Amino acid sequence: MITAAGYALRPATRADAAELARLYADHARYEKAAPPHPDAVAALLDAAAGPAPRAWALVAQPPGARGAPGGQLAGYAAYSLEFAAWSVREYVHLDCLYLDAEHRGKGVGAALLDEVAAHAGRLGAPRVEWQTPDWNEGAVRFYRRYGARGLAKVRFSLPLPAPVPPADPAPGGSVSRTPTPPPGDQQ
């Protein structure tokens, strides 16, 4: 798809890995979050690959950038299908939507969100959900102008201990596990 401003939107490919890694790092700095896990981009591309993807990533290339995968990227959206226990329906969770500063205000964010919503509809999902930091007033204004509603909830994250391989303790003994947060945990 080509936006009105001439940006090309398409699924991310492995050729986009270096540019996606740059955008991931910029996004983390913008949100004042820990740097992304070194394997984050590869894991996303793996989850998006194959006949039954678990996640998807769209990228936006600016006008004049090489149109094929591997060229300069202006931004990205990453999302997955989730299950809602109360409504007993799947919905799309938009995990990330990020544009480099010089590409904001040109309709690219709305075009990415439109594409995510269209894909959610094709998947049979009745809605798309996401969150943004409450201090990100620009994003909050953008989402409200887009027609999204803010939900009054507090998001929590519980770091779990790293998996420990089973040990062979002495009879009657136990293995102690010390909780450590996962690297790059931003949410």
Side-chain angles (χ1 to χ4, degrees):
M1 167 191 182
I2 304 293
T3 69
Y7 287 76
L9 304 185
R10 60 172 176 73
T13 70
R14 295 200 188 281
D16 297 314
E19 272 291 285
L20 269 174
R22 177 189 65 78
L23 288 168
Y24 264 43
D26 290 350
H27 190 181
R29 274 190 299 279
Y30 179 78
E31 289 206 0
K32 302 171 184 128
H37 189 280
D39 296 330
V41 169
L44 173 62
L45 294 172
D46 286 347
R54 294 182 6 249
W56 297 269
L58 295 172
V59 295
Q61 283 185 299
R66 199 171 109 214
Q72 177 191 3
L73 298 178
Y76 74 104
Y79 56 103
S80 60
L81 198 57
E82 302 292 337
F83 181 77
W86 283 8
S87 65
V88 194
R89 303 272 320 260
E90 290 178 312
Y91 67 95
V92 164
H93 172 74
L94 175 63
D95 190 55
C96 298
L97 175 64
Y98 179 77
L99 292 172
D100 280 335
E102 67 269 21
H103 301 288
R104 296 179 192 146
K106 299 177 181 180
V108 182
L112 283 166
L113 199 46
D114 286 346
E115 284 297 305
V116 170
H119 190 202
R122 290 189 301 274
L123 292 169
R127 69 184 185 282
V128 177
E129 291 188 7
W130 64 94
Q131 64 278 326
T132 195
D134 59 359
W135 56 260
N136 191 348
E137 295 173 6
V140 170
R141 280 192 309 275
F142 164 71
Y143 294 136
R144 288 195 172 131
R145 279 194 317 267
Y146 188 84
R149 320 181 301 225
L151 302 175
K153 291 192 175 191
V154 177
R155 182 168 187 196
F156 292 90
S157 176
L158 176 64
L160 299 176
V164 176
D168 188 17
S174 65
V175 176
S176 171
R177 295 182 185 201
T178 304
T180 57
D185 185 20
Q186 302 174 32
Q187 315 228 5

